[in-house]
Amino acid sequence: MLTLASVTVRTPLGFAQISGNELGIQSVRIIDEGEVSTEIPVVLKDAVQQLSEYFEGNRTEFQLKLNPKGTEFQQRVWNALLQIPFGKTTSYQQLTLQLGDPKAIRAVASANGKNPLWIIVPCHRVIGSDGSLTGYAGGLHRKQWLLDHEQPNKQQVLF
């Protein structure tokens, strides 16, 4: 069995805890408090670098080997999330239709909420059919920040 490596880095949203091994990144989550790692394991260097580039505004797409743990259905949902382009959103209803089962909206929402690869697998890009922000495991304030960060024409504050 391969050893799981972890690292904690500071981001504008809090501390990102990244875990993975040679098979790929298994999880990325943001927490309010943490301690920045002094060393970055080799298997996580690309993930740390690409997340840093994303937060700096220099990356719109991740190119990482991913290995999230979940059911076959969850994997299908997470793969569908990867198809949502940077700066765009979709609704839970649209995502459900894309997956081919319009009655599975609750299951799709549940799988979305269990996504272990926050930001990299962009579950934050899924919103309510009416355009409202709906649940995000990292909190709606983080979801709003990510959506604002991904807007190509950012509104400037005048005052």
Side-chain angles (χ1 to χ4, degrees):
M1 181 168 211
L2 296 173
T3 302
L4 196 64
S6 294
V7 66
T8 301
V9 297
R10 187 182 306 273
T11 77
L13 295 176
F15 294 88
Q17 292 182 325
I18 307 165
S19 299
N21 56 29
E22 290 81 5
L23 297 176
I25 305 301
Q26 281 190 3
S27 69
V28 174
R29 65 186 196 113
I30 307 291
I31 57 174
D32 291 323
E33 296 181 20
E35 191 171 312
V36 174
S37 301
T38 55
E39 292 185 33
I40 302 170
V42 172
V43 295
L44 301 177
K45 284 187 186 278
D46 284 343
V48 169
Q49 178 66 37
Q50 289 185 33
L51 274 172
S52 176
E53 292 168 358
Y54 169 84
F55 284 116
E56 291 167 358
N58 298 322
R59 176 172 291 278
T60 60
E61 203 173 289
F62 292 96
Q63 298 171 338
L64 297 167
K65 188 175 183 180
L66 305 179
N67 188 26
K69 301 300 179 203
T71 67
E72 184 179 324
F73 180 77
Q74 289 169 333
Q75 298 282 346
R76 283 185 54 224
V77 172
W78 301 336
N79 284 329
L81 294 173
L82 288 169
Q83 307 310 309
I84 306 169
F86 181 89
K88 303 288 183 189
T89 59
T90 192
S91 70
Y92 289 98
Q93 184 67 46
Q94 289 171 319
L95 189 59
T96 302
L97 292 172
Q98 178 185 336
L99 290 166
D101 188 354
K103 294 180 182 177
I105 194 163
R106 288 182 190 261
V108 168
S110 175
N112 192 57
K114 292 177 180 164
N115 169 22
L117 290 167
W118 297 6
I119 303 167
I120 294 172
V121 174
C123 54
H124 61 277
R125 296 180 190 155
V126 183
I127 59 174
S129 295
D130 62 359
S132 64
L133 292 187
T134 55
Y136 184 62
L140 291 181
H141 67 289
R142 288 190 176 111
K143 183 173 189 165
Q144 184 66 62
W145 190 96
L146 290 165
L147 293 173
D148 290 346
H149 176 70
E150 292 184 2
Q151 290 307 304
N153 300 314
K154 294 180 178 47
Q155 177 74 30
Q156 293 185 354
V157 177
L158 298 175
F159 302 98

